[in-house]
């Protein structure tokens, strides 16, 4: 839809324009209606998304540890240990 909006020259960011572009996109493109995933699939997707977020935070903390001042290292190490216990073991 973003590329469609750009192609028709409606690239402003307001709710009214976004609604118009979405409606116009639906009229022109006629995308296939797809059902929502079942509740179990939605829950699994949410869990996987959250795990990916936690893993990103773990990587960020490990990267910070390399450059951290000595005073901050115990805090970072504790945080890293928590992430590792929670999501790796």
């Amino acid at each position: 839809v973003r590329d469609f909006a750009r192609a028709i020259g409606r690239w402003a960011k307001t709710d009214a324009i976004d609604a118009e572009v979405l409606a116009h996109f639906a009229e022109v493109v006629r995308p296939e209606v797809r059902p929502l995933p079942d509740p179990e699939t939605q829950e699994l997707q949410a869990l996987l998304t959250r795990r990916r977020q936690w893993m990103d935070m773990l990587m960020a903390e490990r990267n910070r540890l390399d450059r951290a001042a000595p005073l901050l290292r115990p805090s970072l190490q504790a945080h890293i240990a928590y992430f590792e216990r929670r999501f790796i073991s």
Side-chain angles (χ1 to χ4, degrees):
V1 173
R2 183 179 306 141
D3 291 338
F4 179 81
R6 193 174 297 131
I8 64 171
R10 298 298 305 262
W11 187 239
K13 278 305 289 177
T14 68
D15 289 344
I17 291 174
D18 287 347
E20 285 178 27
V21 168
L22 286 170
H24 186 58
F25 176 82
E27 288 174 3
V28 173
V29 176
R30 296 263 182 217
E32 178 184 332
V33 176
R34 293 177 290 165
L36 290 174
D38 60 82
E40 292 83 12
T41 300
Q42 290 180 35
E43 285 181 4
L44 180 58
Q45 288 172 336
L47 287 170
L48 290 171
T49 296
R50 187 61 182 145
R51 183 179 189 281
R52 186 174 54 255
Q53 291 167 346
W54 280 94
M55 296 305 290
D56 289 346
M57 287 188 273
L58 173 59
M59 187 183 329
E61 292 292 70
R62 285 177 175 163
N63 290 337
R64 284 184 196 104
L65 184 60
D66 292 337
R67 296 180 305 276
L71 178 68
L72 301 176
R73 287 186 183 169
S75 170
L76 288 166
Q77 289 167 334
H79 207 203
I80 289 167
Y82 170 78
F83 285 135
E84 290 173 343
R85 279 192 313 274
R86 180 83 166 96
F87 294 100
I88 294 179
S89 52

